[in-house]
Amino acid sequence: MTPAKDASNLNSAGFRCISCGWKIGRLFVQYSPGNIRLMKCDNCKAVADPYIECEFMIILIDLILHKSKAYRHLLYNMLNLENNNFKAIMLKSFLLHFILDACRVTFSVRCKDTSDSMRDGSELVWTTLKVIVDVLFGNFVFASVLWIWVSILLKLNHNLLRFKEVFFVVLVSSYFKLFLLAMMVWDFPYSVLYIVDIFVLSSNAVALRVLTRLKMSSCIAISFSAHITKFFAYHWLLSLLKCFR
């Protein structure tokens, strides 16, 4: 069997060549401080990870441009899934994701409601309820749809460890939600929320393609289904709660 057809290598965690996704033992050899030699991939014979010598801003630009090589560098060679601190990184990603979702709902309410209504006690309670529904119920629906799609397409048979990796890359690839923090300080039009959502959706699709090696159309379908189901489930539950308001 040739290296390019070794599926076990492609699906295992560890450092990866950013060109072909092949697993490698190490990315570089350091001879002295500041003197390193980048390793080449045994499969494609290219330098395994040239991003090691790049500034983070260059990596960020390539991530924004949705380059698969940049996502492989981020997910495998920076946030190594075999890292002993993987659980801690995932927990922090969860917390940050929830905080940013709460910021999104708060910004949405601030754009739609007047300042007088926001100072009203009942409106403050209603805003808090919206945040709770989006952060807890919305993300539960999102994770459930993601679980169903990934289980079907990858035939994981409820492989919890593999699903954690999938959900982790979705959280990490939602980094553009950090822009929501700026929206809480400066005034932006409401339409910017949809721009952020579209960017997050497309970024999730690229990250899923890098991890699962599925077709791009399948990854877009997974990402779109999870996001749109979360959107409708959130508004459906809010409409029910309004009946008891």
Side-chain angles (χ1 to χ4, degrees), residues 104-123:
R104 186 192 186 283
V105 176
T106 305
F107 177 79
S108 175
V109 172
R110 191 180 70 178
C111 288
K112 293 181 178 180
D113 297 344
T114 63
S115 57
D116 292 335
S117 63
M118 285 295 291
R119 284 194 291 265
D120 184 74
S122 61
E123 288 299 327

PDB file of all heavy atoms in Angstrom, residues 104-123:
ATOM      1  N   ARG A 104     -23.603  38.408  21.037  1.00  0.00           N
ATOM      2  CA  ARG A 104     -24.378  38.549  19.800  1.00  0.00           C
ATOM      3  C   ARG A 104     -25.842  38.854  20.106  1.00  0.00           C
ATOM      4  O   ARG A 104     -26.443  39.735  19.483  1.00  0.00           O
ATOM      5  CB  ARG A 104     -24.275  37.270  18.970  1.00  0.00           C
ATOM      6  CG  ARG A 104     -24.934  37.384  17.610  1.00  0.00           C
ATOM      7  CD  ARG A 104     -25.094  36.043  16.915  1.00  0.00           C
ATOM      8  NE  ARG A 104     -25.587  36.212  15.566  1.00  0.00           N
ATOM      9  CZ  ARG A 104     -26.842  36.478  15.260  1.00  0.00           C
ATOM     10  NH1 ARG A 104     -27.748  36.641  16.213  1.00  0.00           N
ATOM     11  NH2 ARG A 104     -27.208  36.620  13.990  1.00  0.00           N
ATOM     12  N   VAL A 105     -26.417  38.112  21.036  1.00  0.00           N
ATOM     13  CA  VAL A 105     -27.822  38.329  21.389  1.00  0.00           C
ATOM     14  C   VAL A 105     -28.010  39.712  22.009  1.00  0.00           C
ATOM     15  O   VAL A 105     -28.962  40.437  21.686  1.00  0.00           O
ATOM     16  CB  VAL A 105     -28.309  37.234  22.366  1.00  0.00           C
ATOM     17  CG1 VAL A 105     -29.743  37.517  22.809  1.00  0.00           C
ATOM     18  CG2 VAL A 105     -28.225  35.868  21.716  1.00  0.00           C
ATOM     19  N   THR A 106     -27.092  40.105  22.894  1.00  0.00           N
ATOM     20  CA  THR A 106     -27.177  41.418  23.532  1.00  0.00           C
ATOM     21  C   THR A 106     -27.092  42.540  22.510  1.00  0.00           C
ATOM     22  O   THR A 106     -27.839  43.525  22.569  1.00  0.00           O
ATOM     23  CB  THR A 106     -26.058  41.576  24.570  1.00  0.00           C
ATOM     24  OG1 THR A 106     -26.116  40.493  25.503  1.00  0.00           O
ATOM     25  CG2 THR A 106     -26.195  42.885  25.320  1.00  0.00           C
ATOM     26  N   PHE A 107     -26.183  42.399  21.543  1.00  0.00           N
ATOM     27  CA  PHE A 107     -26.050  43.408  20.501  1.00  0.00           C
ATOM     28  C   PHE A 107     -27.308  43.470  19.640  1.00  0.00           C
ATOM     29  O   PHE A 107     -27.760  44.550  19.253  1.00  0.00           O
ATOM     30  CB  PHE A 107     -24.843  43.091  19.623  1.00  0.00           C
ATOM     31  CG  PHE A 107     -24.666  44.039  18.466  1.00  0.00           C
ATOM     32  CD1 PHE A 107     -24.099  45.286  18.655  1.00  0.00           C
ATOM     33  CD2 PHE A 107     -25.083  43.672  17.195  1.00  0.00           C
ATOM     34  CE1 PHE A 107     -23.944  46.164  17.592  1.00  0.00           C
ATOM     35  CE2 PHE A 107     -24.924  44.538  16.126  1.00  0.00           C
ATOM     36  CZ  PHE A 107     -24.355  45.789  16.325  1.00  0.00           C
ATOM     37  N   SER A 108     -27.887  42.302  19.348  1.00  0.00           N
ATOM     38  CA  SER A 108     -29.110  42.249  18.551  1.00  0.00           C
ATOM     39  C   SER A 108     -30.262  42.964  19.251  1.00  0.00           C
ATOM     40  O   SER A 108     -31.006  43.731  18.636  1.00  0.00           O
ATOM     41  CB  SER A 108     -29.488  40.788  18.285  1.00  0.00           C
ATOM     42  OG  SER A 108     -30.716  40.694  17.619  1.00  0.00           O
ATOM     43  N   VAL A 109     -30.389  42.733  20.555  1.00  0.00           N
ATOM     44  CA  VAL A 109     -31.456  43.389  21.329  1.00  0.00           C
ATOM     45  C   VAL A 109     -31.209  44.885  21.403  1.00  0.00           C
ATOM     46  O   VAL A 109     -32.139  45.691  21.294  1.00  0.00           O
ATOM     47  CB  VAL A 109     -31.542  42.776  22.742  1.00  0.00           C
ATOM     48  CG1 VAL A 109     -32.501  43.562  23.620  1.00  0.00           C
ATOM     49  CG2 VAL A 109     -31.972  41.318  22.656  1.00  0.00           C
ATOM     50  N   ARG A 110     -29.945  45.281  21.579  1.00  0.00           N
ATOM     51  CA  ARG A 110     -29.607  46.706  21.677  1.00  0.00           C
ATOM     52  C   ARG A 110     -29.934  47.438  20.383  1.00  0.00           C
ATOM     53  O   ARG A 110     -30.349  48.596  20.396  1.00  0.00           O
ATOM     54  CB  ARG A 110     -28.123  46.860  22.001  1.00  0.00           C
ATOM     55  CG  ARG A 110     -27.733  48.286  22.381  1.00  0.00           C
ATOM     56  CD  ARG A 110     -26.255  48.386  22.687  1.00  0.00           C
ATOM     57  NE  ARG A 110     -25.441  48.230  21.487  1.00  0.00           N
ATOM     58  CZ  ARG A 110     -24.113  48.315  21.469  1.00  0.00           C
ATOM     59  NH1 ARG A 110     -23.456  48.502  22.601  1.00  0.00           N
ATOM     60  NH2 ARG A 110     -23.453  48.164  20.344  1.00  0.00           N
ATOM     61  N   CYS A 111     -29.772  46.771  19.248  1.00  0.00           N
ATOM     62  CA  CYS A 111     -30.071  47.405  17.956  1.00  0.00           C
ATOM     63  C   CYS A 111     -31.564  47.552  17.733  1.00  0.00           C
ATOM     64  O   CYS A 111     -32.026  48.537  17.145  1.00  0.00           O
ATOM     65  CB  CYS A 111     -29.471  46.582  16.813  1.00  0.00           C
ATOM     66  SG  CYS A 111     -27.682  46.687  16.710  1.00  0.00           S
ATOM     67  N   LYS A 112     -32.346  46.596  18.224  1.00  0.00           N
ATOM     68  CA  LYS A 112     -33.781  46.592  17.953  1.00  0.00           C
ATOM     69  C   LYS A 112     -34.571  47.413  18.965  1.00  0.00           C
ATOM     70  O   LYS A 112     -35.589  48.020  18.632  1.00  0.00           O
ATOM     71  CB  LYS A 112     -34.313  45.159  17.951  1.00  0.00           C
ATOM     72  CG  LYS A 112     -33.787  44.318  16.794  1.00  0.00           C
ATOM     73  CD  LYS A 112     -34.362  42.931  16.844  1.00  0.00           C
ATOM     74  CE  LYS A 112     -33.881  42.095  15.658  1.00  0.00           C
ATOM     75  NZ  LYS A 112     -34.422  40.717  15.679  1.00  0.00           N
ATOM     76  N   ASP A 113     -34.125  47.443  20.222  1.00  0.00           N
ATOM     77  CA  ASP A 113     -34.876  48.099  21.287  1.00  0.00           C
ATOM     78  C   ASP A 113     -34.351  49.501  21.542  1.00  0.00           C
ATOM     79  O   ASP A 113     -33.199  49.808  21.284  1.00  0.00           O
ATOM     80  CB  ASP A 113     -34.801  47.288  22.589  1.00  0.00           C
ATOM     81  CG  ASP A 113     -35.447  45.920  22.433  1.00  0.00           C
ATOM     82  OD1 ASP A 113     -36.205  45.740  21.452  1.00  0.00           O
ATOM     83  OD2 ASP A 113     -35.182  45.050  23.274  1.00  0.00           O
ATOM     84  N   THR A 114     -35.203  50.340  22.084  1.00  0.00           N
ATOM     85  CA  THR A 114     -34.805  51.688  22.470  1.00  0.00           C
ATOM     86  C   THR A 114     -34.088  51.662  23.804  1.00  0.00           C
ATOM     87  O   THR A 114     -34.180  50.698  24.560  1.00  0.00           O
ATOM     88  CB  THR A 114     -36.038  52.593  22.579  1.00  0.00           C
ATOM     89  OG1 THR A 114     -36.881  52.096  23.625  1.00  0.00           O
ATOM     90  CG2 THR A 114     -36.809  52.614  21.270  1.00  0.00           C
ATOM     91  N   SER A 115     -33.385  52.741  24.095  1.00  0.00           N
ATOM     92  CA  SER A 115     -32.635  52.810  25.354  1.00  0.00           C
ATOM     93  C   SER A 115     -33.572  52.807  26.557  1.00  0.00           C
ATOM     94  O   SER A 115     -33.245  52.295  27.623  1.00  0.00           O
ATOM     95  CB  SER A 115     -31.748  54.057  25.381  1.00  0.00           C
ATOM     96  OG  SER A 115     -32.529  55.225  25.203  1.00  0.00           O
ATOM     97  N   ASP A 116     -34.797  53.396  26.404  1.00  0.00           N
ATOM     98  CA  ASP A 116     -35.741  53.425  27.516  1.00  0.00           C
ATOM     99  C   ASP A 116     -36.238  52.028  27.849  1.00  0.00           C
ATOM    100  O   ASP A 116     -36.360  51.649  29.017  1.00  0.00           O
ATOM    101  CB  ASP A 116     -36.931  54.327  27.174  1.00  0.00           C
ATOM    102  CG  ASP A 116     -36.528  55.792  27.085  1.00  0.00           C
ATOM    103  OD1 ASP A 116     -35.515  56.151  27.721  1.00  0.00           O
ATOM    104  OD2 ASP A 116     -37.219  56.561  26.389  1.00  0.00           O
ATOM    105  N   SER A 117     -36.524  51.253  26.788  1.00  0.00           N
ATOM    106  CA  SER A 117     -37.030  49.905  27.051  1.00  0.00           C
ATOM    107  C   SER A 117     -35.961  49.011  27.650  1.00  0.00           C
ATOM    108  O   SER A 117     -36.260  48.113  28.424  1.00  0.00           O
ATOM    109  CB  SER A 117     -37.554  49.271  25.743  1.00  0.00           C
ATOM    110  OG  SER A 117     -36.501  49.125  24.812  1.00  0.00           O
ATOM    111  N   MET A 118     -34.711  49.270  27.285  1.00  0.00           N
ATOM    112  CA  MET A 118     -33.630  48.464  27.831  1.00  0.00           C
ATOM    113  C   MET A 118     -33.447  48.706  29.320  1.00  0.00           C
ATOM    114  O   MET A 118     -32.946  47.859  30.038  1.00  0.00           O
ATOM    115  CB  MET A 118     -32.320  48.778  27.094  1.00  0.00           C
ATOM    116  CG  MET A 118     -32.234  48.175  25.703  1.00  0.00           C
ATOM    117  SD  MET A 118     -32.217  46.392  25.721  1.00  0.00           S
ATOM    118  CE  MET A 118     -30.623  46.086  26.459  1.00  0.00           C
ATOM    119  N   ARG A 119     -33.857  49.891  29.784  1.00  0.00           N
ATOM    120  CA  ARG A 119     -33.725  50.172  31.213  1.00  0.00           C
ATOM    121  C   ARG A 119     -34.896  49.607  32.006  1.00  0.00           C
ATOM    122  O   ARG A 119     -34.859  49.570  33.230  1.00  0.00           O
ATOM    123  CB  ARG A 119     -33.624  51.688  31.430  1.00  0.00           C
ATOM    124  CG  ARG A 119     -32.261  52.272  31.081  1.00  0.00           C
ATOM    125  CD  ARG A 119     -32.104  53.675  31.624  1.00  0.00           C
ATOM    126  NE  ARG A 119     -32.965  54.618  30.953  1.00  0.00           N
ATOM    127  CZ  ARG A 119     -32.592  55.374  29.923  1.00  0.00           C
ATOM    128  NH1 ARG A 119     -31.366  55.268  29.448  1.00  0.00           N
ATOM    129  NH2 ARG A 119     -33.434  56.211  29.359  1.00  0.00           N
ATOM    130  N   ASP A 120     -35.953  49.190  31.311  1.00  0.00           N
ATOM    131  CA  ASP A 120     -37.100  48.619  31.991  1.00  0.00           C
ATOM    132  C   ASP A 120     -36.749  47.244  32.549  1.00  0.00           C
ATOM    133  O   ASP A 120     -36.075  46.447  31.898  1.00  0.00           O
ATOM    134  CB  ASP A 120     -38.277  48.509  31.011  1.00  0.00           C
ATOM    135  CG  ASP A 120     -39.526  48.013  31.720  1.00  0.00           C
ATOM    136  OD1 ASP A 120     -40.143  48.796  32.471  1.00  0.00           O
ATOM    137  OD2 ASP A 120     -39.862  46.829  31.513  1.00  0.00           O
ATOM    138  N   GLY A 121     -37.251  46.958  33.761  1.00  0.00           N
ATOM    139  CA  GLY A 121     -36.910  45.701  34.418  1.00  0.00           C
ATOM    140  C   GLY A 121     -37.361  44.483  33.655  1.00  0.00           C
ATOM    141  O   GLY A 121     -36.618  43.499  33.533  1.00  0.00           O
ATOM    142  N   SER A 122     -38.586  44.525  33.109  1.00  0.00           N
ATOM    143  CA  SER A 122     -39.109  43.371  32.382  1.00  0.00           C
ATOM    144  C   SER A 122     -38.307  43.106  31.112  1.00  0.00           C
ATOM    145  O   SER A 122     -38.076  41.945  30.735  1.00  0.00           O
ATOM    146  CB  SER A 122     -40.582  43.601  32.033  1.00  0.00           C
ATOM    147  OG  SER A 122     -40.721  44.751  31.206  1.00  0.00           O
ATOM    148  N   GLU A 123     -37.866  44.179  30.442  1.00  0.00           N
ATOM    149  CA  GLU A 123     -37.078  44.011  29.232  1.00  0.00           C
ATOM    150  C   GLU A 123     -35.697  43.435  29.535  1.00  0.00           C
ATOM    151  O   GLU A 123     -35.142  42.672  28.754  1.00  0.00           O
ATOM    152  CB  GLU A 123     -36.925  45.349  28.500  1.00  0.00           C
ATOM    153  CG  GLU A 123     -38.188  45.834  27.832  1.00  0.00           C
ATOM    154  CD  GLU A 123     -38.681  44.873  26.769  1.00  0.00           C
ATOM    155  OE1 GLU A 123     -37.848  44.227  26.109  1.00  0.00           O
ATOM    156  OE2 GLU A 123     -39.911  44.743  26.617  1.00  0.00           O
TER     157      GLU A 123
END
